[in-house]
Amino acid sequence: MKIYTPDREWPPEYRAVIEELKKITDPVTSGNILDSGVIAGLEVSDDTLKVWLRFESHAEYNITGESAIAYSKIIGDIMERFALVKFNNVYIYDLGNHIVGIFENRRKRRPEGISGGRA
C-alpha cells in the first residue's frame, strides 16, 4: 500500500486512479474524497485496485448513523467507477485492514486456441 498524500509524486497508473477518485464526492463534506481525507492508501496493479479508507468499520461510532451511510455511498461510488470498467478486481479496506467492499471478476478469458467445450 502507498499512503495517499496529495503532494506525492505518483506513477502514471496511480495518477489515472487518483484523477478518477477526485470525481467522487464525500457526502459529508461535499468535497471530493481526496480533499476530505477519506482515502488513506492505494495499491494499483494491472488488473487489481486496492483502496484503504480512513475509518474503522468495527468502531461503534461508524456502524450507525450518517457516517455509515456516507462510507457506504463512497464504497459504492468507487466500485461503480472501477470494477470491470478499469480493473477486474477491486478491494476496499478500512484502516484495520478489514475488507469493506470487494469485487472479483471470476470469469477468466481463455488463451487463444483453447476451446471451452467438453471432449
Side-chain angles (χ1 to χ4, degrees):
M1 168 180 68
K2 292 185 185 232
I3 307 256
Y4 175 76
T5 57
D7 56 344
R8 182 180 195 149
E9 191 65 35
W10 294 97
E13 64 274 14
Y14 280 80
R15 275 187 256 141
V17 169
I18 289 168
E19 287 303 313
E20 199 65 30
L21 289 172
K22 285 181 183 177
K23 299 174 185 175
I24 299 175
T25 302
D26 177 353
V28 175
T29 66
S30 297
N32 73 55
I33 60 175
L34 296 174
D35 291 342
S36 68
V38 172
I39 301 296
L42 300 167
E43 188 175 302
V44 178
S45 67
D46 291 338
D47 68 345
T48 301
L49 171 66
K50 295 180 180 179
V51 179
W52 282 263
L53 300 180
R54 196 174 309 275
F55 78 99
E56 292 201 37
S57 61
H58 297 289
E60 184 177 325
Y61 59 89
N62 281 325
I63 294 174
T64 60
E66 293 178 19
S67 293
I69 294 168
Y71 286 120
S72 180
K73 171 140 178 40
I74 290 168
I75 291 165
D77 288 349
I78 291 171
M79 289 294 181
E80 182 180 322
R81 288 192 181 272
F82 293 105
L84 277 183
V85 178
K86 297 186 182 342
F87 297 96
N88 283 321
N89 305 300
V90 177
Y91 304 96
I92 303 174
Y93 301 89
D94 69 358
L95 282 180
N97 214 33
H98 302 106
I99 292 182
V100 294
I102 186 169
F103 178 86
E104 294 176 326
N105 183 7
R106 299 199 184 266
R107 292 191 320 172
K108 305 277 185 198
R109 287 190 180 170
R110 295 178 188 265
E112 299 238 355
I114 298 176
S115 66
R118 291 185 181 191

